[in-house]
Amino acid sequence: MANTPQPGTRERIVRAASLLMQRQGYEGTGIKRVAQEAQATLGSVYHFFPGGKQAVGVAAVQHADQEFADLLSASLSEEADPAKAIAACARTLAHHLRDSEWGDGCPISATALETTGRVPAIEDAVAQAFQHWRDIVADTLRKAGFPEGDANDLATTVISTLEGAELTAQVSKSETPLMLAGEHLARLIDSYKR
């Protein structure tokens, strides 16, 4: 049995910042707390991120983007039918949220709301993350035969709906909003099939 390599200091810093920002936003996440959670020195944080908190924040958003993209891709690949795949994705999100005891919703929503119009570098990273997720859904739909325009429009609707449903599920501590969103998104996607 092979040992899993331990993450390096930079990766620990990024993971810690990503998790803290997911739970308490960008403004509520201080560099000292990131260093503490990453079991790194403050000097290490500034060594890897000479741009300070903003540079750590951008890296954390990019990390969260990739983590969610991986989860999205994996759950969408569970089903050949895109409508069923979207419903499966909503179920996966609901189960992850419940398993985190309602603490780990969208990895970037708190940061997105706090930084829009105020921290351009992080705002750009957040916009790129949302676009990345839409691209994954659109690609799934295009591969299933949906025309480009429909695929892009539906992908925007899917990500927007899942984001809202995830927040509602988190606040209400219930999987129901995500389950219903998945069911209705599946119906919507089915209505576009030709």
Side-chain angles (χ1 to χ4, degrees):
M1 186 165 124
N3 289 337
T4 304
Q6 294 298 314
T9 304
R10 184 186 190 285
E11 187 176 347
R12 287 195 323 271
I13 292 166
V14 170
R15 286 180 182 182
S18 180
L19 184 60
L20 289 168
M21 286 169 52
Q22 177 180 18
R23 292 181 174 170
Q24 56 197 35
Y26 176 74
E27 295 299 333
T29 300
I31 291 290
K32 287 181 183 177
R33 178 75 191 272
V34 170
Q36 190 176 43
E37 291 294 317
Q39 298 179 338
T41 65
L42 203 51
S44 293
V45 175
Y46 286 106
H47 168 77
F48 288 108
F49 300 98
K53 182 176 178 175
Q54 193 172 112
V56 172
V58 168
V61 168
Q62 291 168 340
H63 173 79
D65 167 16
Q66 192 56 55
E67 273 195 337
F68 187 76
D70 292 346
L71 183 144
L72 187 60
S73 295
S75 60
L76 290 174
S77 68
E78 289 178 15
E79 297 278 350
D81 179 321
K84 289 180 181 174
I86 296 298
C89 180
R91 282 191 303 277
T92 299
L93 292 174
H95 298 321
H96 278 265
L97 188 56
R98 181 201 61 216
D99 292 347
S100 76
E101 297 180 358
W102 314 105
D104 296 337
C106 174
I108 63 171
S109 62
T111 298
L113 293 171
E114 285 182 336
T115 59
T116 299
R118 295 185 40 247
V119 188
I122 294 180
E123 186 177 355
D124 289 346
V126 166
Q128 289 172 18
F130 282 126
Q131 185 61 54
H132 184 200
W133 303 343
R134 287 189 299 268
D135 290 345
I136 290 168
V137 175
D139 188 51
T140 298
L141 294 169
R142 279 192 300 274
K143 287 178 181 173
F146 285 72
E148 183 77 22
D150 289 348
N152 290 334
D153 291 350
L154 285 168
T156 297
T157 302
V158 165
I159 294 302
S160 298
T161 302
L162 290 176
E163 284 296 310
E166 191 167 38
L167 177 60
T168 305
Q170 188 173 18
V171 169
S172 64
K173 294 180 174 40
S174 169
E175 296 176 63
T176 303
L178 275 163
M179 299 303 212
L180 289 174
E183 289 173 23
H184 288 277
L185 286 170
R187 287 184 198 169
L188 175 64
I189 289 166
D190 277 338
S191 76
Y192 275 74
K193 289 181 181 173
R194 297 188 176 153

